Amino acid sequence: MTAYRCPQDGTLAETTALTWCCPVCRGPWDLDFEITGTLSPGSLAGRVNSLWRYEEVLPLAAPATTLGEGRTPLVPLTGTVSAKLDFLMPTLSFKDRGAVMLAELARRLNPDRVVADSSGNAGTAVAAYCARAGLPCTVYVPEGTSPGKTEQIRAHGARLETVPGGREATALAARAAADTPGTFYASHVFNPYFLHGTKTYVYELWEDLGGSLPDAIAVPVGNGTLLLGAALATAELLAQGLIERRPALLAVQAEAVSPLATAFRAGADDLPADESPAPTTPTAPTLAEGIAIPRPPRARQILAAVRASGGTFLTVPEERIRGAQLDLAARGLHVETTGAVCWAAVGDWTEGSVVVPLCGAGLKTGLAAPH
């Protein structure tokens, strides 16, 4: 039995409903479902060469919306650091891992409309997979979103709504639209199907490394969807006896917008209560626009996941983000600025093996201009 469950108060809801959040606390859902079998590296031979090869651990199967997403290359950068090239996904970012799950779920529920909010990459991914599924889609983005991303959203046939202010104002506008009857909210934050898509990133690492994982996994963290997916996967692999220990999760934020790193270092379990009026102004400027999230709804879960893994938070200044992007380009890897933050944080890492995701293609934002 698969069901939505609120991690705060235990409220349950059917996944066939269009209820996008817990009706009691308005928080995001988790997903209760049973893994149907145990994986082994040998059992994967001959399977489809996409993330859907891990069907035993996914809440959906036999998708009609797939674009062949997943199975991205893993390449060494140094003796201890390797990079997973998730910018080679169909829409040029790792968000395809979760967006295909949301679009496939929406296709089966057949809503009147789909809405999403994004700083760019999630919006482009949802737009593409909704086009694949034949679903009408509206994507809300903050003003100042990279033109390459907004052009991509429009190219996939989605309606684009530009919201004055920052990322928080955009999320509020999308959530208001999501409350309209007949609307499926393809939220990469509130809907846990997205996290069960992003967890395939770690299953691919496990397969490519011969049934093991690196000592640490570094991930950029804004809303934390890749980190929480990684935490899900490592917990599942450990429970199935497929790994002996969980790797440390290294959560990376830009210094300019680092609310979770601040809370982690203060020993807090959550972000402080927000007593300000509804936000209408942008966050502090940062090259890492994709993780410029001042109040992620899953903050408590993110902090707990990093601590449970024995990991930590790392922050990087703007000049290091730009330098890391240029350095990667000199190595043949042109990624967007948000995708360079983990390399900026762990490029000289010597404490065992670590993998960084290169999350989005450089064509989406271009090279960062010097400050």
Side-chain angles (χ1 to χ4, degrees), residues 204-365:
E204 290 177 18
L205 288 180
W206 168 79
E207 182 181 0
D208 290 342
L209 294 173
S212 65
L213 289 175
D215 297 310
I217 298 174
V219 287
V221 174
N223 276 310
T225 54
L226 184 54
L227 183 137
L228 291 173
L232 270 174
T234 56
E236 290 174 357
L237 286 164
L238 187 66
Q240 295 176 78
L242 297 174
I243 55 174
E244 294 182 356
R245 52 158 191 82
R246 297 175 68 176
L249 297 177
L250 306 178
V252 183
Q253 296 200 293
E255 276 187 2
V257 186
S258 53
L260 292 164
T262 300
F264 182 86
R265 291 165 185 167
D269 295 330
D270 204 346
L271 298 181
D274 183 14
E275 298 179 355
S276 63
T280 57
T281 56
T283 59
T286 176
L287 295 170
E289 65 176 11
I291 55 172
I293 310 296
R295 295 196 63 82
R298 293 187 185 268
R300 177 178 288 273
Q301 289 177 294
I302 296 166
L303 292 165
V306 173
R307 289 194 174 102
S309 76
T312 191
F313 274 82
L314 305 171
T315 57
V316 290
E318 297 301 296
E319 61 271 17
R320 281 178 57 191
I321 297 173
R322 171 176 163 75
Q325 186 193 33
L326 294 173
D327 181 70
L328 286 168
R331 296 168 184 261
L333 300 165
H334 184 28
V335 302
E336 64 176 336
T337 45
T338 302
V341 295
C342 288
W343 178 236
V346 303
D348 56 357
W349 189 262
T350 59
E351 301 175 34
S353 58
V354 60
V355 172
V356 301
L358 303 185
C359 295
L363 295 176
K364 287 175 173 277
T365 57

Side-chain angles (χ1 to χ4, degrees), residues 140-151:
Y140 292 77
V141 300
E143 59 184 357
T145 298
S146 299
K149 295 177 181 178
T150 57
E151 179 182 348

Side-chain angles (χ1 to χ4, degrees), residues 38-283:
T38 300
L39 291 172
S40 69
S43 71
L44 298 170
R47 293 193 183 188
V48 61
N49 193 36
S50 73
L51 62 81
W52 295 97
R53 66 198 282 110
Y54 311 110
E55 59 184 359
E56 291 94 337
V57 300
L58 296 176
L60 296 173
T65 55
T66 180
L67 292 168
E69 54 286 332
R71 300 297 290 140
T72 54
L74 180 66
V75 300
L77 294 178
T78 71
T80 56
V81 184
S82 296
K84 189 157 174 59
L85 310 190
D86 260 26
F87 67 90
L88 298 180
M89 289 283 198
T91 76
L92 308 181
S93 92
F94 87 96
K95 294 291 177 63
D96 290 11
R97 294 184 183 277
V100 67
M101 291 285 175
L102 296 183
E104 179 63 22
L105 178 62
R107 184 191 68 81
R108 298 179 189 195
L109 298 180
N110 194 30
D112 296 332
R113 67 195 67 81
V114 175
V115 300
D117 61 290
S118 169
S119 58
N121 282 336
T124 61
V126 169
Y129 285 96
C130 280
R132 183 73 166 174
L135 295 167
C137 178
T138 299
V139 180
Y140 292 77
V141 300
E143 59 184 357
T145 298
S146 299
K149 295 177 181 178
T150 57
E151 179 182 348
Q152 190 179 2
I153 290 169
R154 289 193 179 99
H156 291 308
R159 177 183 172 188
L160 188 72
E161 291 283 351
T162 302
V163 180
R167 187 65 183 83
E168 293 292 282
T170 304
L172 289 174
R175 291 168 199 168
D179 285 329
T180 304
T183 301
F184 179 88
Y185 184 23
S187 173
H188 58 292
V189 182
F190 279 77
N191 193 305
Y193 277 85
F194 195 94
L195 305 181
H196 285 270
T198 61
K199 77 181 182 184
T200 59
Y201 173 89
V202 171
Y203 277 95
E204 290 177 18
L205 288 180
W206 168 79
E207 182 181 0
D208 290 342
L209 294 173
S212 65
L213 289 175
D215 297 310
I217 298 174
V219 287
V221 174
N223 276 310
T225 54
L226 184 54
L227 183 137
L228 291 173
L232 270 174
T234 56
E236 290 174 357
L237 286 164
L238 187 66
Q240 295 176 78
L242 297 174
I243 55 174
E244 294 182 356
R245 52 158 191 82
R246 297 175 68 176
L249 297 177
L250 306 178
V252 183
Q253 296 200 293
E255 276 187 2
V257 186
S258 53
L260 292 164
T262 300
F264 182 86
R265 291 165 185 167
D269 295 330
D270 204 346
L271 298 181
D274 183 14
E275 298 179 355
S276 63
T280 57
T281 56
T283 59

